[in-house]
Amino acid sequence: MIAGGAVFPHRHLTGIDGLQPHEIAFLLDEAEQWVEANRTHARGTAPLAGLTQINAFFENSTRTLLSFEIAGKRLGADVVNMHAAQSSVKKGETLIDTAQTLNAMRADVLVIRHMSSGAVKLIADKVDCAVLNAGDGRHEHPTQALLDALTIRRRRGAIAGQRVVICGDLLHSRVARSNILSLTALAAEVRVCAPSTLMPPAIERMGVTPFTDFDAALEGADVVMMLRLQSERMEGALVPSPREYRLRYGLTPERLARAVPGALVMHPGPMNRGVEIDSVVADGAQSAITEQVAMGVAVRMACLDVLTRRARGVEGWA
Amino acid sequence: MTLAIVNARLVGADSVEPGTLLVQDSMIAAVGRIDVPGDAMVIDAGGKLLAPAIVDLGVFAVDREACRRGGVVRVGLMPDQSPVLDDPGMVQRAALVGKPDLWIHPLAAATQGLAGRDLAEIAFCQQAGAMAVATGRGWIADAAVMARVLAYAHDLDLAVVTHAEDGGLTAGAVATAGETATRLGLPAAPAVAEALAVARDLMLAEETGARLHIRQVTTAAALDLIRAAKRRGVAVTCGITPAHLLLADIAMSDFRTFAHLSPPLRGEADRRACLAAVADGTIDVIGSGHDPQGPEAKRLPFADSAPGMAGAETLLPLALTLVRDGHIELPRLFTLLAANPAKVLGIDAGRLAAGASADLLLFDQHAPWQVEGERFASAGNTPFDGLPVQGRPLRVWKGGRELLA
């Protein structure tokens, strides 16, 4: 049994890349306690009391920001939101300066979202406190992958051996990259599906099987994970139209029938109902979409807790 | 006065021979096994290598100190200056600013403001000292404009130096499509963007008879097109920088912005094809692509950072790895570093021969040192930071006059 800080030696969570399978599993195990705690109204513990958590979002977000804010508050942290996307901070030109400013304010944990791949790591290298990646460009969105993994583990009993289909705009998706990394690390069989215009080159080198035919990809799937198609990408440059996208990649009840009975349906939200997913599927019995949101809070609580243990001097972590 | 460099190993066009080199009135007067005149000032080379000083075709900044340290005495300056070198006054000023230590041969902008639309005043720029025209960092998207640039430059016997990447495919891209770019989530363009641009420009060069120099060719597909065009007799030459010979796209891992180059680093198979093309003569020129960028341009997220590397100070040792690894011999290396770039510019330099400008580089082929970007003359943006290398200039002469630190 590995004890304390040795089980998770990382200062930051900038991505799933670089995490060992047992470290991913550790974060999922830690999240389980918060799933239960969040269901009760007895939210007595406040391990992060007195700590300052800054959510610096250089790109607009509603759900993820809210999820991190709730997670921090449930743990007792003082949570401050910095809406950098609406402030004078533009692109990366003052990114290092912003990081140093936040650092000088003695934040205990920084949660960062940025539109450029690699931006969060750049900040993490420059600050003393723990940094949590809430999404950087097309690169990674590790807490989304963790909440998806937790959802799958709870609903399907395990992750290893599950056939997971990830379908949608893989090219621009940080959710897809983080999920591919975590699910392959946890020994799931991952299939990715997209039109060739939205398929990242050499994606098979990440240990997944690419499909352009959604029907074929769905055969025997245990989990179907749909990705959001940004509306600006449906207008002809990459996909001819929303309705043609639905024709080839929309998750309809008929299509879902190709997966195993009771296969799990997932979506990171927000959904384009009637485009990548039909309402009857999104709201159906197989959908885990609202559960994903609940798992999101628990996973983010676990990450905030674990990443601040060293600073808090938790026994075995100091 | 006559200068005699004795006891040198002379790097000639075909061989390395021990001998003496005489300089008179800034020119090489004689070279080989010759007698030293009684009144000559004698310098003992101590058996070290004496080669033509480097002619660095396609630098983006005037960086005298970096050039001196690197053994570079002439540069072909890219027109991407501020303001752009599309005006005779700007060209003339650029041509004078480095003398006497560094001779700057400006490459005039092919189009006004490098916008790719209207022809610049190329003939006026030539009168002002431009030795070639260039498309700058970018590609001219409009084939009709490119055809006119080539035809017009051909009238004036100026080579056209191009950047070969199809602008449509590379719009917004900062990396070559492949596993590394996919893992990092970086906007990427397929490597074939280069061959597409090369194919068009080769056909237009063939059609117009113009001299085309493709500044950096970095992919197997484009090199195949150039190899075939040379066989057909097309007046094409091409170049590369050490970075594309020694690094593949995996060097971008961890979002290292010092490895953000233009064109971007390629896959390993393309890198190997470039080495083969240096060996078989397809590639004519090795340059530094010297493009110093400060932290304000590099300490940014990868996609927001500026491309380019500081290369003048590491050009010689990095190029010498080609000799040490057996890809080419020393005489061929200096054909790539000096004689061929001089030829593209139409200047009589870059070779150890009577009548050529006495631009000389005495160097130690084996001297070991470590690349330290922090100690570079200007910015230290090199993807080779920390690399142990071998080979260092000992003394440098421009027009027979020694350059001192």
Side-chain angles (χ1 to χ4, degrees):
Chain A
M1 178 72 189
I2 313 167
V7 75
F8 195 83
H10 308 278
R11 279 184 62 215
H12 309 297
L13 182 66
T14 54
I16 300 295
D17 188 26
L19 295 187
Q20 298 295 321
H22 73 265
E23 294 166 352
I24 299 171
F26 169 73
L27 291 175
L28 300 183
D29 293 344
E30 285 288 321
E32 292 281 4
Q33 60 178 303
W34 302 114
V35 175
E36 299 313 319
N38 285 338
R39 286 202 176 136
T40 69
H41 293 281
R43 296 169 190 149
T45 56
L48 267 62
L51 267 57
T52 303
Q53 170 189 339
I54 301 182
N55 299 327
F57 277 52
F58 295 84
E59 185 183 74
N60 284 322
S61 159
T62 307
R63 305 161 146 259
T64 306
L65 178 59
L66 199 57
S67 183
F68 270 108
E69 185 170 2
I70 291 170
K73 284 184 169 161
R74 288 213 179 134
L75 292 170
D78 297 318
V79 183
V80 184
N81 292 331
M82 192 188 103
H83 299 276
Q86 291 144 31
S87 77
S88 59
V89 180
K90 291 266 193 270
K91 283 190 96 180
E93 53 204 4
T94 58
L95 190 58
I96 298 263
D97 289 341
T98 307
Q100 278 161 355
T101 303
L102 296 174
N103 195 43
M105 290 175 181
R106 312 299 304 168
D108 298 290
V109 57
L110 284 177
V111 179
I112 298 165
R113 168 168 288 194
H114 197 280
M115 57 295 235
S116 288
S117 301
V120 176
K121 185 187 177 295
L122 189 67
I123 294 176
D125 290 344
K126 292 284 179 287
V127 298
D128 303 316
C129 67
V131 170
L132 241 157
N133 183 358
D136 63 323
R138 311 175 181 183
H139 177 227
E140 282 227 42
H141 190 358
T143 56
Q144 178 72 42
L146 292 171
L147 75 88
D148 287 338
L150 185 61
T151 306
I152 295 170
R153 195 172 80 170
R154 288 173 63 94
R155 285 282 287 261
R156 303 289 304 172
I159 292 168
Q162 295 285 301
R163 177 175 287 176
V164 183
V165 178
I166 306 175
C167 177
D169 182 1
L170 292 148
L171 184 63
H172 300 96
S173 177
R174 54 195 172 213
V175 173
R177 279 172 182 73
S178 286
N179 261 311
I180 288 168
L181 290 166
S182 73
L183 293 171
T184 54
L186 298 173
E189 180 205 336
V190 181
R191 295 175 164 189
V192 295
C193 181
S196 292
T197 49
L198 295 175
M199 187 72 88
I203 190 74
E204 70 282 356
R205 300 292 297 270
M206 294 185 77
V208 300
T209 312
F211 287 78
T212 53
D213 181 344
F214 194 20
D215 292 326
L218 282 170
E219 292 296 339
D222 299 293
V223 178
V224 185
M225 195 181 278
M226 302 304 294
L227 300 173
R228 175 178 168 77
L229 183 66
Q230 302 284 341
S231 55
E232 65 268 23
R233 302 200 171 109
M234 298 182 210
E235 305 304 326
L238 296 162
V239 169
S241 66
R243 65 176 193 162
E244 182 155 320
Y245 186 78
R246 179 176 182 273
L247 172 75
R248 294 184 66 195
Y249 300 101
L251 188 60
T252 59
E254 299 74 41
R255 279 223 169 91
L256 183 56
R258 293 176 175 270
V260 301
L264 208 57
V265 173
M266 301 174 73
H267 193 298
M271 289 179 279
N272 296 300
R273 288 172 180 264
V275 183
E276 71 256 11
I277 190 164
D278 279 11
S279 280
V280 63
V281 175
D283 303 331
Q286 289 169 252
S287 170
I289 294 170
T290 53
E291 192 174 340
Q292 286 174 270
V293 178
M295 294 305 114
V297 176
V299 153
R300 284 161 186 139
M301 289 173 80
C303 293
L304 290 166
D305 170 28
V306 167
L307 288 174
T308 55
R309 282 184 190 174
R310 230 164 248 106
R312 288 186 281 130
V314 173
E315 198 182 340
W317 290 73
Chain B
M1 196 192 69
T2 304
L3 175 70
I5 302 174
V6 303
N7 191 23
R9 284 159 60 217
L10 302 162
V11 181
D14 304 304
S15 59
V16 179
E17 308 275 355
T20 295
L21 184 140
L22 296 184
V23 177
Q24 217 155 20
D25 300 330
S26 81
M27 312 293 260
I28 298 172
V31 60
R33 294 180 181 278
I34 44 177
D35 295 329
V36 177
D39 62 344
M41 191 180 105
V42 177
I43 291 170
D44 187 341
K48 299 288 192 224
L49 290 159
L50 186 67
I54 295 170
V55 180
D56 195 354
L57 177 55
V59 303
F60 288 90
V62 175
D63 193 344
R64 267 178 297 250
E65 178 58 15
C67 287
R68 187 195 62 77
R69 292 186 195 175
V72 176
V73 300
R74 294 173 186 263
V75 297
L77 179 66
M78 292 298 284
D80 314 65
Q81 306 297 313
S82 179
V84 171
L85 302 184
D86 62 354
D87 168 272
M90 293 301 154
V91 169
Q92 191 164 27
R93 187 179 156 276
L96 293 173
V97 73
K99 286 181 180 176
D101 296 358
L102 178 64
W103 281 31
I104 294 166
H105 303 290
L107 310 183
T111 57
Q112 293 174 27
L114 289 172
R117 280 191 305 272
D118 302 308
L119 292 179
E121 291 180 328
I122 296 171
F124 271 123
C125 289
Q126 183 180 30
Q127 274 188 354
M131 304 304 281
V133 300
T135 65
R137 290 182 192 272
W139 186 65
I140 293 180
D142 188 325
V145 173
M146 188 60 189
R148 288 179 211 125
V149 165
L150 286 162
Y152 197 82
H154 183 44
D155 291 348
L156 303 168
D157 193 27
L158 291 175
V160 177
V161 179
T162 62
H163 179 88
E165 281 187 290
D166 181 285
L169 280 174
T170 58
V174 296
T176 305
E179 182 182 355
T180 301
T182 288
R183 283 183 180 274
L184 295 175
L186 293 174
V192 74
E194 181 175 280
L196 271 179
V198 165
R200 185 200 72 176
D201 290 350
L202 282 173
M203 288 189 177
L204 292 175
E206 193 164 11
E207 180 78 9
T208 56
R211 276 198 290 142
L212 175 67
H213 176 73
I214 307 166
R215 190 166 58 86
Q216 298 181 84
V217 182
T218 59
T219 61
L223 288 163
D224 284 345
L225 291 171
I226 291 166
R227 209 172 271 123
K230 284 185 166 185
R231 263 189 245 118
R232 291 200 305 276
V234 179
V236 60
T237 51
C238 67
I240 196 165
T241 69
H244 287 96
L245 292 168
L246 302 176
L247 301 175
D249 58 357
I250 198 164
M252 300 184 305
S253 296
D254 265 352
F255 300 100
R256 289 179 66 211
T257 58
F258 284 0
H260 181 189
L261 305 176
S262 172
L265 290 171
R266 308 300 191 184
E268 179 63 12
D270 278 326
R271 186 186 78 88
R272 288 174 184 276
C274 291
L275 285 170
V278 166
D280 73 13
T282 306
I283 290 177
D284 305 279
V285 171
I286 295 178
S288 72
H290 191 61
D291 194 2
Q293 302 274 3
E296 64 285 353
K298 285 290 190 183
R299 271 177 57 183
L300 294 173
F302 194 95
D304 302 329
S305 68
M309 66 171 275
E313 291 178 56
T314 52
L315 179 55
L316 177 67
L318 295 176
L320 279 168
T321 62
L322 300 172
V323 176
R324 211 164 31 249
D325 294 346
H327 297 290
I328 50 174
E329 303 285 327
L330 264 178
R332 163 89 178 132
L333 178 64
F334 279 87
T335 303
L336 290 157
L337 287 172
N340 282 348
K343 234 185 260 177
V344 172
L345 293 168
I347 52 179
D348 192 2
R351 57 205 178 92
L352 298 188
S357 178
D359 303 344
L360 306 170
L361 168 63
L362 185 70
F363 70 101
D364 181 337
Q365 186 182 3
H366 302 297
W369 59 289
Q370 190 171 20
V371 177
E372 286 175 88
E374 281 187 1
R375 299 176 73 162
F376 279 11
S378 50
N381 54 311
T382 172
F384 297 102
D385 199 21
L387 186 75
V389 292
Q390 279 180 274
R392 188 157 231 179
L394 299 170
R395 301 174 78 167
V396 185
W397 293 265
K398 171 77 198 80
R401 200 178 62 85
E402 184 164 9
L403 307 186
L404 302 169

